[in-house]
Amino acid sequence: MDSKDSTDHSKYQSPLVSRYASKEMAYNFSDMKKFLTWRKLWIFLAIAERKLGLDITEEQIKELESHMNDIDFERAAEEERIRRHDVMAHVHTYGALCPNAAKIIHLGATSCYVTDNTDLMLMRDGFDMLLPKLARCIDRLANFAKTYKDTPCLGYTHLQPAQLVTTGKRATLWIHDLLMDLRNLQRARDDLKFRGVKGTTGTQASFLQLFNGQHEKVEEVDRLVTEMCGFTHSYSVCGQTYSRKVDLEVLMALSGIGATVHKMCTDLRLWASMKEVEEPFEKNQIGSSAMPYKRNPMRSERCCALSRHLMVLVNDAYQTAAVQWFERTLDDSANRRISIAEAFLTADIVLSTLQNVSEGLVVYPKVMERHIRQELPFMATENILMAMVGKGADRQECHEIIRQLSQEASKQVKELGLENDLIDRIRSNKYFAPVHDELDKLLNPALFVGRAPEQVVRFLEVDVRPAILPYLHLMEGTVELNV
């Protein structure tokens, strides 16, 4: 086994990164971005402290800036092995490159100055990646709903045939929930604040000492660093960490995507089993190693599998928020390294896959028509009854005759496995002669979809377009899956 094989294949790698995630989201939670962000935070702190009068030189700041990208990961790992402290390992690794600035790195700060603030920045950037992807999914499904707003299909309640809907109307139910997710993601993103410059237990005591008791300068260094990091506000109070309820709100928003997508893709899987709608299926794609004819909805199945993982990750955030003692306990750290990154990575994969599905949905109206013909005769009986009454028939007598014919037709379907012949029975019954010429009109599926087409149009105009308007400049591009 050569060294490359050993490096690439002899250790477990999370499929979230190695198999599925986008490059941009994988980088967002990479060690490279994390530790670069730590170094930016140290530079920003030094700049703010110098501006407010501490003994920090421009040369020291330039030295830090010139070596910001020179991360010696091997040295940092060795430092952490010795010191058992990841932040101090990187302080010493950075300081070795910047001997003149080493003494002012991390001046007045606690570890959470870099770890917590970095997490908040990564989550903000993660939201900025997810929001356009979610908007694109909504846009693609909106186009689908518009295209098929008039295409009737069987509605289902209790997974039993019910009153007709349209294919486009069914899609609006998915879009409705995705719009809720868009709102929740935007709100969670906008609610994020910066931990800022708060010191060891959140009291800013170390900074008050650095600035000789000048409270206004402590407040100003907090404000300056917050602004340099792209936030408008920092949390007014915190312990050693920002409240872990923040992580809970973030993961709740992300887990909501999982619930929505799981429901939608379950619908698509059921729909595919009826052969009415299919997800994209590529020319050389193999559905089954044993059954060559199969066209399995593997993309929707993947969405469901990953959505389940996404939905359960919020439980980590609940537990972590609940078990923090006083100003902080470290039992949050290892859990958060996994749960936060995996929540964003999983949401990213789910949305990318969903966009791919939404862009290639195939509809088979003829199959829908056949299924409608199997059920519509029973649904049309009320229309036939009213038409007969309009011709002077006795309502109760007509109802009883239709009931008897319906029972006979039901026996044909359920006991003999034959087609629904209720309409043929009505056509051959002289009692219904007054409406024989109207039966085709009375059986027009368009008469049974209610206001579904109009509801689709209004929903797209009133709810959908305004919601995705801020993302219109980001709507281009399709998604191709590698696996």
Side-chain angles (χ1 to χ4, degrees):
M1 179 184 294
D2 62 31
S3 60
K4 184 177 187 304
D5 285 338
S6 176
T7 299
D8 292 345
H9 303 296
S10 65
K11 292 183 179 180
Y12 173 79
Q13 295 181 352
S14 170
L16 291 177
V17 174
S18 64
R19 188 172 176 86
Y20 299 125
S22 66
K23 291 181 180 179
E24 60 269 21
M25 190 62 80
Y27 175 74
N28 191 55
F29 289 96
S30 67
D31 284 347
M32 179 64 77
K33 183 169 181 178
K34 178 171 74 172
F35 296 131
L36 282 175
T37 305
W38 285 15
R39 292 187 172 189
K40 287 179 183 178
L41 284 161
W42 284 321
I43 293 170
F44 292 157
L45 181 60
I47 291 172
E49 289 175 334
R50 180 176 185 274
K51 183 176 181 179
L52 293 170
L54 294 190
D55 185 17
I56 296 173
T57 67
E58 183 68 26
E59 289 71 25
Q60 288 173 315
I61 292 172
K62 287 182 178 179
E63 186 178 48
L64 291 174
E65 292 174 335
S66 67
H67 291 288
M68 187 182 76
N69 296 315
D70 304 331
I71 301 178
D72 186 341
F73 287 100
E74 290 185 4
R75 174 162 186 164
E78 179 60 20
E79 290 280 0
E80 186 172 357
R81 187 188 67 80
I82 296 169
R83 303 177 190 280
R84 300 297 180 187
H85 197 289
D86 57 349
V87 174
M88 288 308 299
H90 278 269
V91 167
H92 283 275
T93 301
Y94 199 12
L97 293 171
C98 308
N100 294 323
K103 65 182 181 180
I104 59 96
I105 296 173
H106 203 64
L107 183 58
T110 186
S111 298
C112 287
Y113 167 69
V114 289
T115 57
D116 270 31
N117 283 324
T118 292
D119 286 342
L120 290 163
M121 295 168 76
L122 298 184
M123 288 192 290
R124 176 197 61 192
D125 294 349
F127 277 130
D128 288 342
M129 296 175 195
L130 292 178
L131 282 162
K133 292 188 177 187
L134 178 51
R136 283 196 289 272
C137 290
I138 294 170
D139 175 73
R140 297 337 185 236
L141 287 170
N143 294 336
F144 177 84
K146 182 179 180 181
T147 300
Y148 295 102
K149 65 181 176 65
D150 297 309
T151 304
C153 63
L154 284 175
Y156 288 87
T157 59
H158 313 274
L159 200 55
Q160 303 301 311
Q163 190 173 28
L164 300 190
V165 296
T166 68
T167 303
K169 173 61 191 299
R170 179 169 290 159
T172 64
L173 303 183
W174 307 329
I175 299 170
H176 176 274
D177 290 357
L178 289 171
L179 288 176
M180 294 178 68
D181 295 317
L182 187 70
R183 179 198 66 198
N184 291 339
L185 255 65
Q186 188 65 63
R187 182 166 56 197
R189 190 255 186 246
D190 292 344
D191 283 350
L192 285 177
K193 296 180 182 180
F194 204 50
R195 177 193 179 275
V197 182
K198 297 296 196 298
T200 305
T201 57
T203 65
Q204 298 177 305
S206 58
F207 293 99
L208 192 62
Q209 183 177 357
L210 279 175
F211 290 107
N212 298 314
Q214 298 178 74
H215 291 268
E216 66 279 3
K217 286 193 174 182
V218 176
E219 292 181 0
E220 183 64 5
V221 74
D222 194 1
R223 186 190 68 79
L224 287 172
V225 174
T226 297
E227 286 187 356
M228 282 188 277
C229 291
F231 287 82
T232 57
H233 297 90
S234 65
Y235 294 107
S236 299
V237 296
C238 67
Q240 186 172 91
T241 69
Y242 66 81
S243 170
R244 296 316 186 209
K245 284 275 284 188
V246 174
D247 297 341
L248 175 56
E249 288 190 346
V250 168
L251 266 66
M252 285 174 66
L254 297 176
S255 67
I257 295 174
T260 299
V261 175
H262 197 290
K263 183 265 190 291
M264 172 184 166
C265 289
T266 300
D267 284 353
L268 286 173
R269 292 162 64 191
L270 292 169
W271 222 347
S273 73
M274 302 170 187
K275 297 182 173 57
E276 293 187 351
V277 172
E278 284 183 344
E279 65 175 37
F281 195 91
E282 296 169 15
K283 179 180 179 182
N284 295 317
Q285 182 175 331
I286 296 173
S288 168
S289 62
M291 295 169 279
Y293 61 88
K294 293 200 76 177
R295 295 169 66 94
N296 299 331
M298 70 88 170
R299 292 168 171 84
S300 296
E301 290 172 316
R302 178 183 299 171
C303 281
C304 288
L306 291 170
S307 291
R308 291 201 303 274
H309 181 59
L310 180 54
M311 286 187 284
V312 301
L313 286 171
V314 72
N315 292 325
D316 281 342
Y318 272 112
Q319 295 291 332
T320 298
V323 302
Q324 290 299 287
W325 302 347
F326 297 124
E327 280 65 49
R328 190 267 175 97
T329 50
L330 192 60
D331 58 346
D332 65 337
S333 179
N335 185 288
R336 294 176 68 255
R337 289 174 190 264
I338 300 168
S339 59
I340 294 174
E342 288 203 354
F344 277 91
L345 288 164
T346 308
D348 174 70
I349 300 159
V350 165
L351 290 176
S352 294
T353 309
L354 186 67
Q355 181 182 338
N356 175 268
V357 170
S358 302
E359 289 171 344
L361 287 172
V362 180
V363 176
Y364 296 104
K366 293 298 183 182
V367 179
M368 292 178 176
E369 290 174 10
R370 175 162 57 85
H371 291 158
I372 288 172
R373 286 196 301 271
Q374 292 172 345
E375 302 293 338
L376 190 59
F378 294 134
M379 299 178 192
T381 54
E382 184 176 5
N383 289 18
I384 296 171
L385 175 63
M386 291 299 98
M388 284 293 293
V389 170
K391 299 290 186 178
D394 180 277
R395 192 265 180 200
Q396 311 310 332
E397 180 184 22
C398 185
H399 181 280
E400 177 58 22
I401 296 174
I402 291 176
R403 187 189 69 81
Q404 293 176 8
L405 295 178
S406 297
Q407 294 296 323
E408 294 169 2
S410 180
K411 181 178 180 180
Q412 295 290 307
V413 173
K414 293 181 178 180
E415 297 183 17
L416 302 179
L418 302 176
E419 293 295 322
N420 188 332
D421 64 354
L422 175 58
I423 298 304
D424 291 337
R425 292 174 183 273
I426 291 175
R427 288 187 192 280
S428 62
N429 192 310
K430 294 181 180 180
Y431 178 82
F432 293 98
V435 297
H436 280 169
D437 293 340
E438 301 177 24
L439 285 177
D440 288 340
K441 180 180 178 181
L442 293 172
L443 290 166
N444 181 0
L447 297 177
F448 297 85
V449 299
R451 297 192 64 254
E454 291 76 15
Q455 288 178 341
V456 172
V457 171
R458 178 170 175 78
F459 175 67
L460 297 181
E461 291 178 354
V462 175
D463 294 85
V464 177
R465 296 308 173 192
I468 63 176
L469 184 62
Y471 306 98
L472 284 183
H473 63 294
L474 300 170
M475 287 295 172
E476 297 300 320
T478 59
V479 170
E480 294 185 8
L481 302 182
N482 295 321
V483 290

